[in-house]
């Protein structure tokens, strides 16, 4: 069994043939999918998807790129959205992206901290996007954990080995996407080789970042098998063992699914 811990099923082209996309994933052993919120206006689409497909669960959150458009959002607003459906099992994606800076840094930080407060209150995981913001991400997570503990999943990890192990020391789980299979990602592959298997999840981030040998095509959840094969090889584990371990980690983080 494999769990795609991060995809965007409300995005095209998947949204145009959703049943077929999910059937392909199920046929390739992907038993559950977590479809991720990035902005408030798309949340109704996510609710519709999780209500229609038994194997799909969801999150609510605001991507750092969208922070500028959600300046007024508070933890209470996030909590209310999460509690609107029992299949909303996480908060995010939220975090910091200082590579593109589509939103001002202060807006990103404020939004991120509101999401963490909601995660602390509900005691469900926050799905964190972090790019070119290792120092600030660590500082915020560390500071907020001294106030009250919370669960953290770093999605589509592409950072340094030092960053990965500092996050693990803070109790975070680390998710691998198709990026780890890219030829230019040798350092990242070496990092995942050393990350303990019991702290790893896998994801597609579909429709983005299709793994080798499908790089350049629109990604979809069924393609996750290529990432799992790559990781199992570099970690010297069987495909089945890595699939089962990452699924167990998902359940440890998000709880058992119905």
């Amino acid at each position: 069994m494999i769990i795609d811990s991060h995809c965007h099923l409300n995005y095209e082209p998947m949204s145009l043939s959703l049943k077929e996309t999910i059937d392909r994933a199920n046929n390739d052993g992907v038993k559950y999918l977590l479809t991720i919120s990035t902005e408030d206006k798309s949340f109704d689409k996510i609710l519709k998807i999780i209500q229609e497909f038994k194997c799909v669960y969801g999150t609510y959150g605001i991507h750092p790129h969208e922070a500028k458009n959600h300046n007024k959002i508070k933890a209470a607003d996030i909590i209310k959205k999460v509690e609107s459906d029992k299949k909303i099992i996480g908060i995010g994606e939220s975090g910091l992206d200082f590579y593109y800076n589509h939103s001002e840094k202060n807006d990103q930080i404020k939004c991120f901290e509101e999401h963490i407060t909601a995660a602390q209150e509900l005691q469900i995981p926050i799905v964190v996007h972090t790019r070119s913001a290792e120092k600030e991400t660590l500082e915020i997570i560390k500071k907020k954990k001294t106030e009250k503990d919370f669960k953290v999943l770093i999605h589509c990890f592409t950072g340094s080995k030092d960053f990965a192990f500092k996050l693990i020391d803070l109790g975070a789980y680390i998710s691998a996407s198709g990026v780890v299979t890219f030829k230019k990602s040798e350092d990242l592959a070496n990092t995942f080789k050393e990350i303990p298997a019991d702290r790893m999840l896998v994801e597609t981030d579909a429709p983005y970042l299709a793994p080798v040998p499908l790089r350049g095509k629109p990604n979809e959840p069924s393609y996750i098998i290529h990432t799992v094969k790559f990781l199992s090889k570099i970690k010297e584990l069987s495909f089945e063992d890595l699939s089962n371990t990452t699924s167990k980690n998902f359940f440890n983080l998000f709880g058992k699914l119905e």
Side-chain angles (χ1 to χ4, degrees), residues 1-3 200 242-252:
M1 175 178 65
I2 305 170
I3 300 175
M200 283 176 48
L242 187 66
S243 300
N244 291 337
T245 298
T246 54
S247 296
K248 180 181 178 182
N249 296 341
F250 184 96
F251 295 137
N252 286 343

Side-chain angles (χ1 to χ4, degrees), residues 13 40 44 49 73 89 124 150 155 172 180 187 231 238 241 256 258:
D40 185 72
D44 285 345
I49 291 168
I73 195 163
I89 58 173
I124 63 173
F150 59 99
H155 113 86
V180 75
D187 288 344
L231 289 166
S238 70
D241 282 349
K256 293 295 182 184
E258 294 180 359

Side-chain angles (χ1 to χ4, degrees), residues 25-220:
N26 292 162
N27 290 337
D28 280 342
V30 185
K31 185 171 183 181
Y32 296 110
L33 304 90
L34 187 62
T35 188
I36 305 294
S37 169
T38 58
E39 55 184 343
D40 185 72
K41 68 181 182 181
S42 65
F43 186 58
D44 285 345
K45 293 180 181 178
I46 288 171
L47 288 176
K48 185 177 179 182
I49 291 168
I50 65 174
Q51 290 160 5
E52 184 175 354
F53 297 97
K54 187 176 180 180
C55 66
V56 182
Y57 290 73
T59 68
Y60 176 81
I62 309 302
H63 192 286
H65 290 344
E66 301 295 331
K68 63 187 175 187
N69 299 320
H70 298 80
N71 283 323
K72 295 182 179 180
I73 195 163
K74 300 293 183 185
D77 303 311
I78 298 166
I79 291 168
K80 185 177 180 180
K81 293 294 178 100
V82 170
E83 291 181 334
S84 67
D85 193 297
K86 65 181 181 179
K87 290 184 75 182
I88 299 298
I89 58 173
I91 290 169
E93 63 184 286
S94 180
L96 306 174
D97 193 317
F98 298 162
Y99 183 83
Y100 286 110
N101 272 324
H102 288 327
S103 290
E104 293 292 333
K105 290 184 178 181
N106 287 341
D107 287 341
Q108 292 186 45
I109 291 168
K110 180 182 175 184
C111 192
F112 186 28
E113 290 184 337
E114 291 292 338
H115 282 73
I116 292 174
T117 299
Q120 290 170 321
E121 179 70 23
L122 293 173
Q123 284 299 293
I124 63 173
I126 180 168
V127 179
V128 176
H129 172 112
T130 175
R131 188 170 185 189
S132 299
E134 294 189 0
K135 177 177 175 286
E136 294 85 354
T137 301
L138 280 171
E139 286 175 351
I140 290 171
I141 293 174
K142 191 178 294 185
K143 179 188 76 173
K144 296 293 281 185
K145 274 184 171 279
T146 62
E147 299 169 4
K148 186 177 182 179
D149 199 18
F150 59 99
K151 300 174 182 179
V152 178
L153 172 59
I154 307 295
H155 113 86
C156 189
F157 184 82
T158 56
S160 67
K161 186 181 297 185
D162 179 65
F163 185 38
F165 280 90
K166 285 179 177 176
L167 288 164
I168 290 169
D169 288 343
L170 290 172
Y173 285 79
I174 311 283
S175 181
S177 72
V179 175
V180 75
T181 70
F182 297 174
K183 289 182 179 179
K184 67 176 183 179
S185 297
E186 186 175 345
D187 288 344
L188 183 64
N190 288 332
T191 295
F192 272 102
K193 185 176 181 179
E194 294 189 29
I195 290 174
D198 64 0
R199 306 305 297 181
M200 283 176 48
L201 276 73
V202 288
E203 65 171 272
T204 56
D205 202 15
Y208 310 113
L209 306 175
V212 174
L214 300 164
R215 188 177 181 187
K217 296 182 178 182
N219 201 3
E220 63 172 76

